[in-house]
Amino acid sequence: MAALFGRRMRQGAASTAVAAAAMAALSASGAPSAVGEQPAASAAERPSAGASGQEDPSVTGDSPYHTDLPPLKGPGRNDPPDETPATGSAESGIPATVLDAYRKAEASLAASNPRCRVPWELLAAIGKVESGHARGGRLDTNGTTPSPILGPVLNGVGFANISDTDGGAYDGDTLHDRAVGPMQFIPQTWESWGRDGNGDGRRDPNNIYDAALAAGSYLCAHDRDLTVERDLHQAILGYNRSQEYLRTVLHWYDYYRKGAHEVPDGSQPAPGAPTGTGGKTPSPAPVRPGTPSPSPTKPGKPTKPSKPGDGSSSKPTPPPTTPPPTTPPPTTPPPTTPAPATRLVDLGDGALSAPAGERFAERPAVRAERADKKPAAQAKVRFTLTGETGTTFEGGATTVTVTTKADGVAKAPALLAGGKPGALTVKATLLGTTEPVTLGLRGEVTAPRADKLVRTDETELTCEAGATFEGRVALTATRDGQAAPGVAATATVLAGADPADGEKAADQGPYFLTPGDEPAEDRRTRELTLTTDAKGNLLLPELHTDDTTGTFRLRVETTGGAVVVLELKVTDPA
């Protein structure tokens, strides 16, 4: 990065002066800035650790980042009057594939989360600060870096201390985590926020399309609107909890909003490595006042030649010779390759099940084992969904590939049940073997459920014997506060006004009529099943009465356990 821009901000007194000058120059330009007039969010305003949708620590584990600032405008620099980045300048250029990934992530999130309004320029600013746009756009044809972009080992020495969470699957380190990829996700955060941005069925932090979409999704967490300054600042601070990081990203965001252009992939030099903790260069140890500085070493005095007769020899003494070793030095044995995986073991505790339209509580999981039944790390397992229920993995894919961790476990993304009840199968296939091993995990999408049922009219349910109740009973079913369509409900007429009278259908009193051409006496029923409409509404058929008078109960219960009990009164004829 320093090789590309030559503006590495330094720490200590020097960095303070440079930062102050940079901020002053940008403010003096009068250009509209994404920094805004209000101070950056304080520590108390940042998303708290462990909050819903956010991992602890931050996305990057507060790893180092590039602190170069965009070009600043100032007197005597012959800058354009509109203070827009010069067209074609190297510093406003973004590699073609990287720019395409940023823009596609913006479009995808605009469709899936329109409230957030994440701009591609913000993703570009973070990508610039985190990896210099994937090391200047060094990517293959699929948008993946030829070799992983790795942050430092997060072992607590100058950085956060994060023990390994992925078995080295993403970062190659089985002791501690490291930030990975163009957008520098630590493995535990990628596990929650990783996305498939290029539609290849994989979530790869080393792919710019996947990483850009994941970064945008993370920034949009907590129902944020990134056009609101507070939400914008909290989103960036959630990525790396540093006020300097916030300022640096905002400056690049502001810079790209004024103009950016596409350049060929790999045409820019790769940035230099970021330095220090959280982008900060460690300051040298302070020198206490009064401490003497170490004296420079004085050159040695020349040795006088020896005099004849003083016992010294004018001939130099030959250096001692080392006898040859009697045994050959030990050789380092070549590294051994662990035995490949040969089988899969289901780690589930039974069939996978979820109501239509809801998330499965359990994720499909298997363990890859070698022939000696020991876990096999770094094995590739492909999960494939089959069935007619419309179920998908989180993100919309029906096929994903997962790499096993050190314990041999491969866990698929969460399952989202489709809208059609029925059976499904999750096939787990062990790849890389002569004959792929496949394990079928059974699942089921059950009928949709409701957790609340309420009556929407208040008509008193009173009727004379031998007549028909006025109006029809109307109810609405909801699930988690939203309308619950397609939910089955059972309506039953019960005898007596007290639950102690029993929960079985009455054999006399109010009744419904089922459709048909048979006589009415043959179509009487005191128990029937209905289904809520597209808006979760339930409208019961008309209630009729026989000659029996008294108080009865109408009990309506939905799949999911939502219940309403209404009182029915049948009086003598007037």
Side-chain angles (χ1 to χ4, degrees), residues 554-567:
L554 175 61
R555 187 177 192 273
V556 184
E557 181 177 5
T558 69
T559 302
V563 178
V564 165
V565 178
L566 306 174
E567 189 174 77

Side-chain angles (χ1 to χ4, degrees), residues 218-272:
Y218 183 90
L219 294 171
C220 290
H222 307 294
D223 199 29
R224 293 190 182 107
D225 178 356
L226 297 185
T227 62
V228 176
E229 185 176 84
R230 175 186 173 87
D231 285 1
L232 175 65
H233 287 193
Q234 286 185 341
I236 297 172
L237 286 169
Y239 215 92
N240 191 312
R241 298 187 181 95
S242 162
Q243 291 293 327
E244 181 185 344
Y245 181 86
L246 173 65
R247 289 191 294 269
T248 305
V249 169
L250 288 176
H251 280 307
W252 278 110
Y253 174 38
D254 192 53
Y255 183 69
Y256 286 136
R257 288 170 65 197
K258 295 174 183 175
H261 67 281
E262 176 184 303
V263 297
D265 290 344
S267 62
Q268 296 176 319

Side-chain angles (χ1 to χ4, degrees), residues 175-237:
L175 295 179
H176 295 88
D177 274 348
R178 303 175 70 175
V180 182
M183 304 304 275
Q184 289 291 280
F185 276 82
I186 56 175
Q188 62 175 304
T189 310
W190 181 260
E191 189 69 22
S192 299
W193 290 97
R195 298 290 185 268
D196 177 14
N198 61 354
D200 64 354
R202 300 179 59 220
R203 301 184 304 158
D204 184 359
N206 299 298
N207 182 277
I208 185 59
Y209 289 96
D210 294 1
L213 182 57
S217 300
Y218 183 90
L219 294 171
C220 290
H222 307 294
D223 199 29
R224 293 190 182 107
D225 178 356
L226 297 185
T227 62
V228 176
E229 185 176 84
R230 175 186 173 87
D231 285 1
L232 175 65
H233 287 193
Q234 286 185 341
I236 297 172
L237 286 169

